[in-house]
Amino acid sequence: MATILTLKRRIQAAKNVSKTTKAMQMIAASKLKRAQEAAISTRPYVNALDSLTKKVISSIDTDSNDNPYLETRSGTGNTLLIILAPDKGLCGGLISGLIHKYVQYKKTDEKNIYTITVGKKVEGNIARLSEGKVIASFNFGTTTPTIDIIQPIMKIVNEYYLSGKVDSVVVLYAHFRSFFSQVPTIATLLPISLSVEMTAKSSSSLYFFEPNAEDILPVLILHHIEMSLYHFFLESFVSEQASRMIAMQNATNNAKDVIEDLRLEHNKTRQAKITSELLDITGARMAAV
C-alpha cells in the first residue's frame, strides 16, 4: 500500500498536469476561433474562383490552348506530393493519421513520388518512409497562416511542374469537417481538371471577358492555384487546433479522474492508519489495566 506522502505527491503531480492541459486547451480554443473564421471566410471565395475558372475555360478552345497547368501528362510518371502537418504534437491522432494516409497513397500509387513536407512533426517520418525523396522541408508555424507562406512552395511547384519533372501535384492535408472530425485528405492541385460542368458550359455565353478569355486565363489559373494551396493551409491549421483542443480536454478529464482515484486511495490509507493507531492505543491501555 502506498504511503500517504507518496499519494499526496501523486495527487499534486496530477493537479499540475491538469492545469497544463487545461491551459493548452484554452490556447487551442482561442486559436481555433480565429482559424475557423479564416477558413470559413475563404471557402466561398475559393469556390467562386473555381467556378469562374471553369467558365473561362469553357469559353475558349482548350485544344488550341497550350497552358501547361491544364494539360494532362503521362510522360515521366512522377508526382509531387505536398504534406501539410503541425509543427507541434499533442493533437490527438492527427499526425499519425496523415502519416498513415501517406503510406496508403504510396502503396496504391505506382508513380515515383517527390515530397515536400510542411511541419516538423512529419519531417523525420516522411524522410524515412520516402527513402530520401524529400526535396524540401518547411515549418508550418503556430499562428494562422498568411498568404506569404505559400510563395516558396509555389516556386518549387513551378520548377518541377513546368519543367516536366512531374506529371501532377497533389496535397495531403487534414480536412476540417467539425470539432470532432478532421479527415486526412489528398487533393489534386495540378493539373487543373478540364471536366467542366454542363451548367458552366451552358452559361458561359452569358459572360463577356475583357480583354478576352485567352488573356485572362493564365493569370486567373495562377491565382486559382495559389488560393487553393492557401486554403489547404487554413484547413490544416484549423484541424490542428480542433484536434489539440479535444485531445487536451480529454487529457484534463483523465487527470481529474486520476485525482479522484488517488484521493479515494489517500483517504482509505489515512483512515487505515488512524484505525491502526487507535487499535495500538487501545491495546496498550488494556495491557496496562
Side-chain angles (χ1 to χ4, degrees):
M1 182 178 294
T3 64
I4 294 179
L5 181 59
T6 302
L7 289 173
K8 285 184 177 179
R9 289 175 177 174
R10 292 174 63 184
I11 291 173
Q12 187 59 45
K15 286 182 178 179
N16 293 337
V17 171
S18 177
K19 290 179 181 178
T20 302
T21 54
K22 183 64 175 180
M24 295 184 66
Q25 175 189 346
M26 295 176 65
I27 293 173
S30 63
K31 290 184 178 180
L32 173 62
K33 183 178 181 180
R34 294 192 297 268
Q36 187 179 11
E37 291 175 353
I40 292 178
S41 62
T42 307
R43 281 179 182 175
Y45 180 77
V46 173
N47 292 335
L49 187 61
D50 180 70
S51 177
L52 177 60
T53 304
K54 288 183 178 182
K55 287 182 174 66
V56 175
I57 293 174
S58 66
S59 65
I60 64 175
D61 185 7
T62 55
D63 295 333
S64 61
N65 189 280
D66 57 352
N67 193 298
Y69 294 120
L70 300 178
E71 61 183 18
T72 302
R73 307 173 182 174
S74 58
T76 63
N78 298 334
T79 300
L80 178 61
L81 174 63
I82 305 172
I83 302 179
L84 307 181
D87 277 344
K88 296 183 178 181
L90 299 178
C91 50
L94 181 66
I95 298 172
S96 59
L98 290 170
I99 295 176
H100 181 66
K101 187 71 174 180
Y102 169 78
V103 173
Q104 285 184 331
Y105 178 75
K106 187 178 178 183
K107 288 181 178 179
T108 56
D109 198 331
E110 299 179 355
K111 296 180 179 180
N112 186 25
I113 302 175
Y114 296 99
T115 309
I116 299 176
T117 61
V118 182
K120 296 179 181 178
K121 282 300 178 179
V122 298
E123 182 178 342
N125 290 322
I126 299 301
R128 176 175 52 84
L129 294 172
S130 64
E131 300 173 353
K133 293 181 180 178
V134 176
I135 60 177
S137 296
F138 300 92
N139 294 339
F140 192 97
T142 57
T143 58
T144 304
T146 60
I147 192 67
D148 298 336
I149 196 172
I150 70 170
Q151 298 306 322
I153 300 176
M154 282 300 301
K155 289 182 180 179
I156 300 176
V157 169
N158 289 327
E159 176 186 351
Y160 273 71
Y161 188 78
L162 296 180
S163 64
K165 292 181 181 179
V166 296
D167 294 334
S168 60
V169 180
V170 296
V171 181
L172 171 57
Y173 70 105
H175 175 64
F176 177 77
R177 287 185 178 176
S178 66
F179 293 147
F180 305 98
S181 178
Q182 302 85 39
V183 183
T185 306
I186 293 181
T188 300
L189 186 65
L190 290 173
I192 296 177
S193 175
L194 292 179
S195 57
V196 183
E197 299 177 357
M198 293 304 295
T199 55
K201 288 184 178 180
S202 60
S203 61
S204 61
S205 59
L206 302 177
Y207 291 86
F208 295 94
F209 303 100
E210 291 291 342
N212 55 65
E214 288 76 6
D215 293 337
I216 295 174
L217 186 60
V219 179
L220 183 61
I221 286 179
L222 185 59
H223 185 57
H224 176 272
I225 297 170
E226 292 177 348
M227 288 305 302
S228 298
L229 182 58
Y230 178 56
H231 182 63
F232 294 147
F233 269 87
L234 293 176
E235 290 273 351
S236 298
F237 186 73
V238 69
S239 296
E240 174 191 350
Q241 303 308 320
S243 181
R244 181 173 290 113
M245 184 187 70
I246 298 300
M248 292 300 99
Q249 181 180 359
N250 293 335
T252 302
N253 294 336
N254 291 338
K256 290 180 179 179
D257 293 339
V258 170
I259 292 172
E260 292 300 322
D261 294 340
L262 290 174
R263 279 177 176 171
L264 179 61
E265 186 177 355
H266 172 268
N267 293 336
K268 288 181 178 179
T269 303
R270 181 172 174 271
Q271 186 63 42
K273 184 179 180 180
I274 294 173
T275 303
S276 177
E277 291 175 352
L278 287 175
L279 290 174
D280 290 342
I281 294 172
T282 303
R285 180 67 176 174
M286 292 298 294
V289 174

